[in-house]
Amino acid sequence: MEISFQDITYTYSIGTPFEHRALQAIQVQFNQGDYVAVIGKTGSGKSTLVQLLAGLLLPTSGVLQVWDTRIHSRSKKLGEYRKKVGVVFQYPEHQLFEETVAKDIGFGPKNLGCDVAEIEHRVSEAMSWVGLSPDLRDRSPFELSGGQMRRVAIAGVLAMRPDILILDEPTAGLDFRGQRDLLSILKRFHQHFGCTVVHVTHNMNEAAELAEQIVLMSDGKVIATGRPVDIFRNLPNLQVSGLDVPDVTKWIMSLNQKLSTPISTEIYELSTLVDELIHRGRRGS
Ligand SMILES: Nc1ncnc2c1ncn2[C@@H]1O[C@H](COP(=O)(O)OP(=O)(O)OP(=O)(O)O)[C@@H](O)[C@H]1O
Ligand SMILES: [Mg+2]
C-alpha cells in the first residue's frame, strides 16, 4: 500500500468557538494506480479527507504516508509533494483566470518548469483528452459555455500529469450527457496514465461504474472500504450512511426476484446489463 492514512484526525478552527472535528481515527490505504471513489452524505468529511491527501491541510494528529513522504501536524515544505498531486475542486471553472484557454491549461505545466515546447505539447494533448477543439486555444475561457469551461479547468489539471488525481464532485451541475462524457474521459485518462485517482462523489452510479476501491464515510469516519461489490452488498452500512445502492443494482435485485438463474450483482454498467439480458434472451433463459 503506497498511500496510507494512519489514525488521522482533523479538527477545523481549533481553540475557537467554531472548532469542529471533521475527521476521526481515519485508517485507510490506497494502492498506487487504483481508481478510488470516496462516498458519503454531505458533511461526512469527504472533502476534508482529500484536502489532506492534496497536502492542502495538515492532519491534527496521525500520519499520512504517501510513497516516501510522511505528512503530519508539523510537516513543512510540501511544495515538491504538491506538484505530484492534481486537484479538481468542486466547480473548478470558477478558478479559471488566464486570458486564453491555452494559457490557462498551460499554467500548471509552466509552474512545473516545463519548457515552451513541452507546455505546447501538453496543452494540445490535454485539450484533446477532454474533447476541446484546437480552435478554442486562443479564445477567452470566459466566452465558453459552462460545460466547456469545466473541460478547460480539468484539462489544466490533466496537463500536469499528476501521480495522484483528486476530483471533488467533478460532475456536479453538469447535464446527463456532460456527466457521461466526463466519466468516460476520466476512465480513459486513468487507464492510459495509470495514475491514482481519488474521486469524491454523492453519486453511487458513478462510484460503482468507475471505482476499483470505494471508501464509505459517515460522520467523519471511514465505516467501510472495499470493492464496489463488497460495499453495495452491505445494505445496513449504506443505510446508516444515508446512501443507496446504484440504479443498476436496484434493477438487478428486482429482476432476480423473478429469475431462476440470478444475474450477478457485480454488474454496474447499464450496457453490460443490457448485453446480459440480450444474451439470456438468445439462449431462451
Ligand atoms: N472551514 C471549516 N470550518 C469548520 N468546519 C468545517 C469547515 N469545512 C468543513 N467543515 C465541517 O467539517 C465537516 C466535514 O466537511 P466536509 O466538507 O469535509 O464534508 P463533505 O463530505 O465534503 O460534504 P459535502 O458532500 O457537503 O461536500 C462538516 O461538518 C463541515 O460542516
Ligand atoms: Mg465536499
Side-chain angles (χ1 to χ4, degrees), residues 176-188:
F176 181 71
R177 187 70 261 157
Q179 291 182 12
R180 296 303 313 166
D181 289 348
L182 180 53
L183 295 179
S184 119
I185 290 164
L186 295 174
K187 202 176 206 172
R188 282 187 289 114

Side-chain angles (χ1 to χ4, degrees), residues 108-149:
K110 191 173 169 191
N111 271 353
L112 291 177
C114 297
D115 63 28
V116 176
E118 178 64 13
I119 295 172
E120 191 64 19
H121 170 68
R122 289 197 186 193
V123 168
S124 303
E125 187 187 64
M127 287 183 74
S128 142
W129 269 109
V130 300
L132 283 172
S133 153
D135 305 344
L136 298 176
R137 284 182 64 95
D138 298 322
R139 292 269 296 278
S140 160
F142 303 103
E143 290 168 5
L144 307 180
S145 71
Q148 284 174 323
M149 285 169 81

Side-chain angles (χ1 to χ4, degrees), residues 44-97:
S44 57
K46 306 180 297 295
S47 295
T48 309
L49 184 91
V50 293
Q51 286 183 65
L52 287 164
L53 182 59
L56 297 170
L57 298 176
L58 293 177
T60 303
S61 64
V63 172
L64 171 58
Q65 180 85 38
V66 188
W67 314 302
D68 52 358
T69 305
R70 275 172 79 76
I71 302 176
H72 50 76
S73 62
R74 294 173 315 284
S75 288
K76 294 193 181 81
K77 296 191 192 143
L78 287 176
E80 280 310 304
Y81 170 75
R82 285 205 201 118
K83 286 183 182 169
K84 299 176 191 166
V85 186
V87 191
V88 177
F89 293 106
Q90 244 178 315
Y91 297 98
E93 57 276 19
H94 296 166
Q95 283 154 30
L96 298 174
F97 66 98

